[in-house]
Amino acid sequence: MVVCEKGIEREEYAMKRAVWFITLVITIVLATACGSEKASKLNIPVQPFAFTDQDGKPFSSADVENKVWVANFIFTYCATVCPTMTANMAQLQKKAKEAGVDVELVSFSVDPEQDSPEALKAYLGKFAADFSNWHALTGYEFAEIKTFLLRSFRATIAKDAASEQVIHDTLLYLVDQNGKVVARYDGMTDPPYDEIMEDIKLLQK
């Protein structure tokens, strides 16, 4: 009987893992299938925020006021998409510097309970992040960031109890000087770096 019960438990766990994986794949496919959405299609105000950056210092919407910035969502122990997304964000930072494009980068942790400022700094450090214009944010509850991302980016996140992972999209969001999301792009498989550079330049003219 004990053996049977353990077998059933393993099957149930495997089923939960499979459901989580399928859900994650569907989420990613739907997010990236949209491709790039231009400024004419998006005009979403980012809600005011006051969080904590990778140095443990306050960082708020006032720090990006009148600036163009690009946002994405990550967590440090992500077992699937985050390493690639973060590497792509680092590549975006490098290309922006090479092109002389002034842009701020903001990565919101979607698991703030585990992502301390120190953990975020160490994680982005693996990708040679330049923290002069790349800010990794935490210092809030999961429910708070869930609501914030939904209202500000029309993005949803969810925790998977079986895997202890967080399901989130893989997009890059372009925010203009007025604090509005004006475009979003694939941040995972084929980021359109040149297009993003051109869109930023257009906003800054």
Side-chain angles (χ1 to χ4, degrees):
M1 178 65 72
V2 174
V3 173
C4 291
E5 288 177 351
K6 288 184 177 179
I8 292 172
E9 288 177 359
R10 283 196 294 269
E11 289 180 3
E12 289 178 346
Y13 179 76
M15 180 65 71
K16 288 180 180 179
R17 290 278 297 177
V19 170
W20 169 80
F21 182 76
I22 292 171
T23 302
L24 177 62
V25 170
I26 291 173
T27 301
I28 294 171
V29 169
L30 289 176
T32 56
C34 296
S36 300
E37 292 193 53
K38 303 303 293 181
S40 60
K41 294 185 179 181
L42 295 172
N43 191 32
I44 310 168
V46 175
Q47 302 296 301
F49 63 88
F51 300 144
T52 303
D53 72 9
Q54 71 282 343
D55 292 317
K57 297 179 179 179
F59 188 93
S60 72
S61 45
D63 291 294
V64 285
E65 189 174 358
N66 299 319
K67 297 180 180 180
V68 176
W69 50 289
V70 174
N72 73 345
F73 319 137
I74 61 167
F75 61 109
T76 59
Y77 66 98
C78 175
T80 53
V81 298
C82 296
T84 300
M85 288 176 59
T86 306
N88 290 343
M89 192 76 141
Q91 183 69 3
L92 175 63
Q93 184 179 52
K94 179 181 177 182
K95 286 183 175 293
K97 287 186 176 181
E98 292 173 347
V101 173
D102 187 18
V103 61
E104 301 289 313
L105 307 180
V106 181
S107 293
F108 295 93
S109 168
V110 293
D111 197 353
E113 284 85 357
Q114 298 199 53
D115 284 348
S116 65
E118 295 81 8
L120 286 168
K121 190 165 188 176
Y123 182 74
L124 266 63
K126 296 176 183 178
F127 300 88
D130 179 350
F131 293 110
S132 65
N133 70 324
W134 189 349
H135 319 279
L137 304 187
T138 185
Y140 36 75
E141 299 294 329
F142 179 80
E144 183 181 0
I145 192 63
K146 182 177 181 179
T147 299
F148 173 76
L149 297 183
L150 180 60
R151 291 178 177 175
S152 300
F153 299 94
R154 303 295 185 264
T156 59
I157 59 174
K159 284 187 176 181
D160 177 70
S163 66
E164 297 185 347
Q165 295 283 291
V166 180
I167 300 170
H168 60 92
D169 73 36
T170 60
L171 298 175
L172 298 174
Y173 295 83
L174 179 62
V175 185
D176 70 9
Q177 297 95 325
N178 298 313
K180 292 184 178 180
V181 179
V182 295
R184 55 189 175 191
Y185 319 87
D186 175 12
M188 177 68 182
T189 56
D190 189 23
Y193 298 115
D194 292 339
E195 181 182 347
I196 297 172
M197 294 297 105
E198 289 304 313
D199 288 348
I200 294 171
K201 290 177 183 177
L202 286 173
L203 290 174
Q204 294 175 336
K205 281 186 176 180

